[in-house]
Amino acid sequence: MSSALRSAVQQSRRSAFARSARFASTSAKAPTLKERLADLIPAEIENVKATRAAHGKKSFGPVIVDQLYGGMRGLPALIWDGSVLDAEEGIRFRGMTIPEVQQALPKAPGGSEPLPEGLFWLLVTGEVPTQEQVNALSRDWAARSSIPSFVEEILDRCPPTLHPMSQFSLAVTALNHDSAFAKAYAEGISKKDYWQPTFEDAMDLIAKLPNIAGRIFRNVYGGGKLPAIEADKDYSYNLAKLLGFADKPEFVELLRLYITIHSDHEGGNVSAHTGKLVGSALSDPFLAFGASLNGLAGPLHGLANQEVLVWLRKMQSKLGENPTDEAVREYVWSTLKAGQVVPGYGHAVLRKTDPRYMAQREFALKHLPEDPMFKLVSQVFNIVPNVLLEAGKAKNPWPNVDAHSGVLLTHYGLDQMNFYTVLFGVSRAFGVAAQLIWDRALGAPIERPKSYSTAAIQKMFKDKQ
């Protein structure tokens, strides 16, 4: 796509978002998210039909054997509507960049970061909601937030030595007990209506995550009895309160930013794809997202920010609080010479600095510019790319989202690193849930890609040049 055409498309999208917001704000009664979704589904079904009719038989690029052995890297195989990751631009949520999202989405009173409620509305509808619609979504999630007593008991009986992500997965999976979709399916609901109970489950899932996360945090790390969610407060404030940080307004703002930028990263990453895959079997959103969490818990996915913080602390311990650039450079080289990677640098798709990293950096420059660990992160940001380029170690030597988030959380006192992936999981629910709703609305089939054995590959290419 030419730069001129891309610019025109982006302007058209922004105009559409603006028109949507104006329409919603001037209507007598702003539609709820479910009502707006119901309006959008028939047209999107026709849009998908038209797209398949026009392009369904066209080739979408070659598949090479290395992609089969290389984890399907870069293999086009999924439809994911909420976001698309561009190697140069980074992530776009329904066509909007992170700076555009930060500017366009409604904020909390006195706040400057986007409310995740607005981001979820955007992921589901492709539209920017009004403040009224976002406030209504906050109230709806607060009303749905309680978790069953048996789930509370499951969490309370977990030993504190059980990893928080294991506890998180257990609790989310157990919510299947009250799944609206599972109940409706058992009663013989029509396929065209699958999206409605899926929507209710998705809303319940997101709404209950703060209570689950808060209970895990207090059981494992202490902090006393879990307080009640406040019905008139936003999602991030209530999550901060349950974690014991509501008295720190900057931390609440950080959570708003954190959840927003971690919510979705197209469909090919492990947690997103797992949720879509399991959901394609018509497993309800609780079962599907429970599986997502098990993927997110892996060290090559959600644990990466933890590894960054460990590496930075080791460096700070060895070099002191104010190391010279040369000392940092030598430490980076020592990491590489030991056969290790520099955590937080490089990305499977991106070929530039991750916009999510830059959003966190801007937050830090605004709120904690003198924090010693942030200063070290800034030094590393200025030094590591050149070292990696010199070493020839990375196609993309620039930082990704994980290179920054742990330092921000630690600054405000959340230094329990094993819990960081739980926060990532709370965030990732937004993208997975939004796509599950659309998959059921559009009648997406069960996923069943074709696999080959090594012997079959060898046979296929035998005697071929």
Side-chain angles (χ1 to χ4, degrees), residues 7-19:
S7 177
V9 170
Q10 292 171 358
Q11 181 60 43
S12 174
R13 285 170 174 161
R14 285 192 287 269
S15 297
F17 293 140
R19 287 195 301 272

Side-chain angles (χ1 to χ4, degrees), residues 27 137 228 268 379 393:
S27 61
L137 196 51
Q379 271 186 290
K393 291 291 185 181

Side-chain angles (χ1 to χ4, degrees), residues 113-114 116 236 248-262 359-360 363-364 367-368 404-412 414 423:
E113 298 297 343
S236 302
K248 298 180 178 181
E250 285 183 10
F251 180 83
V252 177
E253 277 286 273
L254 174 59
L255 275 188
R256 291 168 182 147
L257 174 64
Y258 182 100
I259 293 173
T260 296
I261 65 176
H262 285 82
Q360 293 178 100
F363 183 95
H367 295 291
L368 49 131
H404 217 306
S405 57
V407 170
L408 295 177
L409 295 170
T410 299
H411 174 81
Y412 293 105
L414 187 60
L423 291 181

